[in-house]
Amino acid sequence: MVGYEFPDDLITVEEADITEERQRELDEAPAEQGRCIGAIYGHSFWDDVADKYAAKVALQKAARA
């Protein structure tokens, strides 16, 4: 390819075969992410939170603890 010298490991990743099962998982991922986001931010907890950003950061820290 003109102007690019790709490393072999990058080419190997690009050439990797994706099974039908893996492709199905990849296709379903955005829907699952949307479901999770809806479950989190659709919760009634957020109704009375004044600083939603600060609460989001605190929730992320609590989930990682």
Side-chain angles (χ1 to χ4, degrees), residues 4-16:
Y4 299 101
E5 289 188 33
F6 296 110
D8 290 338
D9 59 339
L10 183 58
I11 292 171
T12 301
V13 171
E14 180 64 27
E15 292 174 343

Side-chain angles (χ1 to χ4, degrees), residues 4-28:
Y4 299 101
E5 289 188 33
F6 296 110
D8 290 338
D9 59 339
L10 183 58
I11 292 171
T12 301
V13 171
E14 180 64 27
E15 292 174 343
D17 288 330
I18 296 178
T19 64
E20 287 183 31
E21 179 182 351
R22 182 65 178 137
Q23 186 60 53
R24 198 168 31 257
E25 291 171 353
L26 293 170
D27 292 343
E28 292 171 358

